[in-house]
Amino acid sequence: ADELAEQGMYDEAIAHIQEAMAIRPLDPKCSVQLASVYRAQRRIEPAIEALRHATELDPRNSTAQEQLLQTLVELERYDEAISISRKFLERCPKNLYARDVLSIAYLQQGRLDSALAVTNELIRLAPTDSLHYFKKAVLLQQKGQIAQAMATFTRTLEIDPDGEMADE
């Protein structure tokens, strides 16, 4: 299936994946692979359904969860992304990706306080990641809390003076 997909023979790849799914119906990897082929075809709804199926088969499968969340955010389906992020965090409370998506979804909905709360959780879980401090500073700036934003931008530079966020 992988070789067929690489050659652009997506329908054939899907057929092989579906055969594998019939043989191993409880294997979430097949559903993740199916979603990947659907995404390559730009068939997003079937990709989402395949990823949902993978997460039902294995709720702790972070690969499937993260791909599902990424797809929902790309489609600007923020309510769904929030719901799935929260459920995933109940099972895997330290997952940074789910928290990051949750923060993005809140921000896109204009829920700055909620986005800020989640960003603070990201900082608590990964205190040396300058990107989280940068996100917090931007949120504070958007809220009009300029002094706190400036202090947090400074903290971003202190953590990683040559990092990708330094120029920003």
Side-chain angles (χ1 to χ4, degrees):
D2 287 336
E3 288 179 25
L4 290 168
E6 286 177 19
Q7 296 173 16
M9 301 173 69
Y10 299 119
D11 292 334
E12 293 84 351
I14 289 169
H16 282 285
I17 295 168
Q18 289 172 335
E19 286 178 33
M21 291 173 78
I23 295 168
R24 299 190 60 168
L26 300 178
D27 187 349
K29 293 176 191 170
C30 294
S31 294
V32 171
Q33 186 180 23
L34 182 61
S36 177
V37 175
Y38 282 141
R39 283 186 67 135
Q41 289 182 304
R42 301 210 188 315
R43 295 174 57 194
I44 302 304
E45 286 304 321
I48 288 173
E49 289 311 311
L51 290 168
R52 285 186 195 276
H53 182 66
T55 61
E56 289 169 7
L57 292 173
D58 183 5
R60 290 183 144 333
N61 183 329
S62 61
T63 299
Q65 292 280 358
E66 290 173 5
Q67 287 182 15
L68 177 57
L69 290 170
Q70 177 185 356
T71 303
L72 292 171
V73 168
E74 287 172 3
L75 293 175
E76 299 179 6
R77 291 167 58 172
Y78 302 119
D79 288 333
E80 291 174 76
I82 289 168
S83 175
I84 291 169
S85 292
R86 286 181 177 163
K87 288 176 187 171
F88 187 44
L89 287 169
E90 287 174 9
R91 289 184 296 276
C92 301
K94 293 186 178 181
N95 187 285
L96 298 177
Y97 189 83
R99 285 188 197 286
D100 195 38
V101 167
L102 190 57
S103 176
I104 291 166
Y106 284 145
L107 172 62
Q108 292 301 317
Q109 289 185 333
R111 298 167 62 183
L112 298 180
D113 289 332
S114 296
L116 187 57
V118 174
T119 302
N120 284 331
E121 291 172 16
L122 284 165
I123 290 170
R124 183 180 55 80
L125 292 169
T128 59
D129 189 336
S130 64
L131 181 60
H132 301 316
Y133 288 91
F134 183 82
K135 290 177 193 175
K136 179 178 180 175
V138 170
L139 288 166
L140 290 168
Q141 182 181 16
Q142 288 182 355
K143 288 181 55 126
Q145 299 175 4
I146 304 303
Q148 287 179 307
M150 292 302 294
T152 308
F153 279 128
T154 301
R155 181 72 180 126
T156 302
L157 289 171
E158 289 170 353
I159 291 172
D160 193 4
D162 300 318
E164 65 182 273
M165 302 317 302
D167 289 339
E168 297 294 326

